[in-house]
């Protein structure tokens, strides 16, 4: 441990390196117990950023706040990508993909649409599909859905927990869309959204929006 600390001091000699030395020391000795004297664990095994994220999640859980699903698996048969004739530069294309991936709010969706229009012109259908999938992902995350999978004329929305799907809201949803809703109960319930014609993503988006309002109501 002493050798690692000496190496860190030797490595960071520039003005302003104090923070880097402190961070390296934190990696060496572990983050420890924030509310006590014990020091244990190795933050380097998961990285400081992930450690902070896990810590934040644990604090929010202790406060009784519901954690949103971080990553949602969306398996939909849909052409959704950025074509070469819309953005030819690979670095710009990767930059836009990253921005779309990081969208967390409806305002963020509008911001990326405005940016695309301003920088590259009106987006083609496949790019609009990509943005629509992102919008659905935002709503699904709030509802506690961790996977949306398409199959046999259904969008199957897999919920993280039975607490995320309220029975009263489901019954109301079935009344609103009698021919479009199918539910499989259990600890991890599945809400099936049936589609036949029209815009399938539009139907899914409308139903997720309705479910969000009903969940708030009940």
């Amino acid at each position: 441990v002493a050798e690692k600390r000496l190496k860190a001091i030797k490595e960071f000699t520039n003005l302003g390196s104090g923070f880097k030395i402190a961070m390296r020391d934190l990696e060496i000795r572990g983050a420890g117990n924030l509310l006590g004297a014990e020091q244990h664990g190795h933050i380097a095994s998961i990285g400081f950023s992930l450690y902070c994220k896990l810590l934040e999640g644990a604090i929010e859980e202790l406060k009784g706040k519901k954690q949103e699903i971080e990553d949602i698996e969306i398996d939909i048969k849909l052409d959704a990508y950025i074509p070469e004739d819309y953005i030819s530069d690979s670095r710009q294309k990767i930059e836009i993909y990253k921005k779309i991936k990081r969208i967390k709010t409806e305002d963020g969706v509008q911001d990326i649409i405005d940016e695309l229009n301003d920088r590259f012109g009106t987006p083609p259908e496949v790019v609009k599909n990509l943005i629509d999938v992102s919008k659905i992902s935002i709503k699904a995350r709030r509802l506690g859905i961790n996977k949306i999978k398409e199959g046999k004329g259904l969008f199957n929305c897999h919920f993280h927990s039975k607490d995320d799907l309220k029975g009263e809201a489901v019954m109301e949803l079935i009344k609103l869309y009698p021919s479009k809703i199918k539910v499989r109960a259990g600890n991890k319930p599945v809400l099936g959204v049936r589609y036949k014609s029209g815009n399938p993503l539009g139907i899914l988006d409308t139903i997720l929006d309705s479910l969000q309002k009903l969940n708030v109501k009940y």
Side-chain angles (χ1 to χ4, degrees):
V1 170
E3 285 176 357
K4 286 179 181 178
R5 284 179 174 156
L6 286 169
K7 188 178 178 183
I9 293 168
K10 186 179 177 182
E11 186 179 341
F12 301 116
T13 56
N14 296 330
L15 187 67
S17 293
F19 177 74
K20 291 180 181 177
I21 292 172
M23 288 296 298
R24 182 63 58 86
D25 182 55
L26 187 64
E27 290 180 357
I28 292 166
R29 65 184 170 83
N33 185 342
L34 298 186
L35 303 178
E38 302 94 341
Q39 294 294 329
H40 57 81
H42 293 281
I43 202 168
S45 62
I46 59 170
F48 184 70
S49 178
L50 179 57
Y51 173 80
C52 289
K53 198 173 187 179
L54 292 170
L55 180 63
E56 184 182 358
I59 292 168
E60 293 301 306
E61 190 176 335
L62 288 170
K63 285 180 178 179
K65 293 183 180 179
K66 181 183 171 184
Q67 290 292 297
E68 286 187 348
I69 306 298
E70 194 62 34
D71 289 312
I72 299 171
E73 179 188 340
I74 297 185
D75 184 2
I76 292 175
K77 300 177 184 71
L78 182 75
D79 288 332
Y81 63 95
I82 300 172
E84 195 72 22
D85 58 359
Y86 184 61
I87 302 177
S88 57
D89 186 86
S90 58
R91 284 176 298 178
Q92 289 181 328
K93 191 181 291 187
I94 290 167
E95 174 201 345
I96 296 298
Y97 273 126
K98 283 181 177 178
K99 285 185 177 181
I100 292 172
K101 173 72 175 172
R102 287 197 296 262
I103 294 172
K104 300 290 182 186
T105 65
E106 283 80 2
D107 287 342
V109 172
Q110 190 55 52
D111 287 343
I112 195 70
I113 291 170
D114 292 342
E115 182 179 346
L116 288 171
N117 280 314
D118 185 49
R119 291 176 63 186
F120 309 105
T122 305
E125 198 65 31
V126 287
V127 177
K128 289 177 182 176
N129 288 343
L130 192 64
I131 294 168
D132 285 343
V133 169
S134 181
K135 284 167 62 180
I136 285 167
S137 178
I138 291 165
K139 291 179 182 179
R141 187 182 292 112
R142 289 176 186 158
L143 288 164
I145 295 168
N146 55 19
K147 180 167 74 171
I148 298 176
K149 186 175 176 64
E150 183 183 3
K152 297 180 180 178
L154 284 171
F155 288 119
N156 290 304
C157 304
H158 297 254
F159 286 78
H160 181 257
S161 158
K162 62 181 179 181
D163 298 327
D164 294 314
L165 190 61
K166 297 177 182 176
E168 300 92 336
V170 171
M171 295 306 294
E172 199 69 35
L173 198 65
I174 291 170
K175 288 179 188 175
L176 286 170
Y177 309 100
S179 61
K180 289 186 171 64
I181 305 299
K182 182 181 177 183
V183 181
R184 190 174 75 217
N187 288 329
K188 295 182 181 292
V190 179
L191 177 74
V193 178
R194 196 179 302 280
Y195 64 88
K196 289 182 181 178
S197 59
N199 179 5
L201 283 186
I203 293 166
L204 177 61
D205 187 58
T206 300
I207 287 177
L208 290 183
D209 199 37
S210 299
L211 184 58
Q212 175 67 39
K213 290 172 184 173
L214 289 167
N215 270 349
V216 171
K217 179 181 175 183
Y218 291 106

